[in-house]
């Protein structure tokens, strides 16, 4: 089983400094819709600040119970997969899953796409995505494994987290 | 060669009525970054209204020549792939490419992912994506071909255009 985590701390800024990023409405929508399309039942939005989780909660409430639930019932269904958490530790405890960190850069010993595809059939894996300029190195260190990057053509490798997540899930669970 | 078109008219609203959708900043960013990552050199933003194309032009200008170009030179590189067009006819004339329409629904005679992958090696293909609730049926009729949908698991099939585009390009040009 695949579980997804969208991580807002600790992430990097463009100078490699650790930062906390803001939750964005668009990420919640795009992530939830990909998850539901591929049968993923749990999407954790990870943010250390209560105010930010409350904001996410209000957006989710709009689609689950507010105007949005009547305006677009299909969107409601997608939002049902979302869970809120203050930290990755909290998610690890709640899921007991094997945590795999994603990155645009290759790290020694990274699992291949085929590895993760096979693993997801036997085990609960928690696939985490960093916002900003990606997950902080210490998250990569603490993860149970890392995943090889999405390689395109040529040296440019700067996908949005929304695109990276969609492609990753399709590679692991698609077709 | 693959060319991408992001189409804002004629698209459908949630009741199946033809509409013109607004250009969104996030779509430009996500599409441009996916295109550049996969070596796609031309991304057409198609909108019939001059005001909307001007808005897109101002956003692009910010990243190509304004503050954004210094703040994030990698983003500038991605924005270099963007072209603006008033209609699909204009794009067809400019590119002479074989136009393939994408949809969340299967249409009789749709090409498979493998078909399109093979085709893109020999020919210029123009892959078009609809915004709102997708491309209007008459665009599907006028296209040279349609592409089979991205199938997930189960009946839910409502990806954002950003996710659908990322997955499609990875299936056609990835790995």
């Amino acid at each position: 089983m695949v579980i997804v985590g969208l991580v807002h701390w600790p992430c990097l800024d463009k100078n490699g400094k650790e930062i906390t990023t803001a939750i964005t409405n668009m990420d919640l929508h795009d992530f939830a819709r990909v998850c539901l399309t591929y049968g993923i039942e749990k999407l954790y939005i990870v943010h250390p600040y209560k105010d930010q989780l409350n904001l996410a909660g209000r957006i989710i409430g709009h689609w689950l119970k507010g105007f949005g639930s009547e305006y677009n019932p299909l969107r409601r269904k997608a939002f049902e997969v979302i869970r809120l958490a203050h930290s990755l530790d909290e998610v690890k405890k709640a899921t007991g899953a094997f945590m795999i960190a994603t990155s645009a850069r290759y790290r020694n010993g990274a699992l291949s796409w085929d590895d993760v595809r096979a693993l997801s059939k036997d085990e609960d894996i928690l696939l985490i995505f960093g916002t900003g300029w990606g997950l902080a190195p210490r998250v990569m260190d603490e993860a149970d494994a890392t995943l090889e990057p999405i390689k395109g053509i040529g040296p440019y490798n700067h996908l949005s987290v929304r695109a990276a997540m969609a492609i990753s899930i399709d590679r692991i669970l698609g077709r």
Side-chain angles (χ1 to χ4, degrees), chain A:
Chain A
M1 192 174 78
V2 176
I3 300 160
V4 171
L6 177 64
V7 178
H8 298 82
W9 175 85
C11 296
L12 298 180
D13 73 3
K14 70 171 185 144
N15 300 311
K17 217 181 118 216
E18 265 193 24
I19 52 165
T20 305
T21 63
I23 289 177
T24 79
N25 179 48
M26 192 73 84
D27 288 355
L28 300 185
H29 281 261
D30 282 16
F31 269 65
R33 292 163 77 182
V34 170
C35 283
L36 189 57
T37 298
Y38 287 86
I40 294 171
E41 288 167 14
K42 286 177 194 159
L43 162 61
Y44 283 90
I45 308 298
V46 185
H47 202 292
Y49 299 162
K50 207 171 164 177
D51 278 358
Q52 280 281 301
L53 289 186
N54 284 346
L55 166 67
R58 281 207 305 281
I59 294 171
I60 296 163
H62 169 80
W63 293 102
L64 286 183
K65 285 173 271 176
F67 173 72
S69 65
E70 288 175 38
Y71 176 73
N72 189 342
L74 290 167
R75 197 60 60 87
R76 180 180 69 217
K77 225 168 132 47
F79 270 84
E80 285 171 2
V81 306
I82 301 181
R83 311 270 183 281
L84 304 178
H86 283 94
S87 68
L88 274 171
D89 278 346
E90 197 182 315
V91 181
K92 277 162 66 177
K93 269 186 206 135
T95 62
F98 185 82
M99 189 165 85
I100 303 175
T102 61
S103 172
R105 254 168 298 186
Y106 182 84
R107 280 172 67 104
N108 271 336
L111 299 177
S112 72
W113 293 101
D114 288 341
D115 289 340
V116 174
R117 194 176 170 100
L119 199 64
S120 73
K121 288 182 175 133
D122 300 325
E123 290 204 49
D124 287 355
I125 64 168
L126 168 63
L127 200 64
I128 57 172
F129 296 86
T131 48
W133 267 252
L135 293 165
R138 63 187 169 106
V139 178
M140 308 298 291
D141 293 340
E142 285 165 18
D144 298 305
T146 60
L147 175 53
E148 65 172 323
I150 296 163
K151 287 267 299 170
I153 291 163
Y156 187 89
N157 188 14
H158 302 277
L159 295 170
S160 70
V161 71
R162 293 168 296 284
M165 184 273 188
I167 293 167
S168 299
I169 295 303
D170 186 57
R171 287 187 175 191
I172 294 168
L173 294 173
R175 296 205 278 185

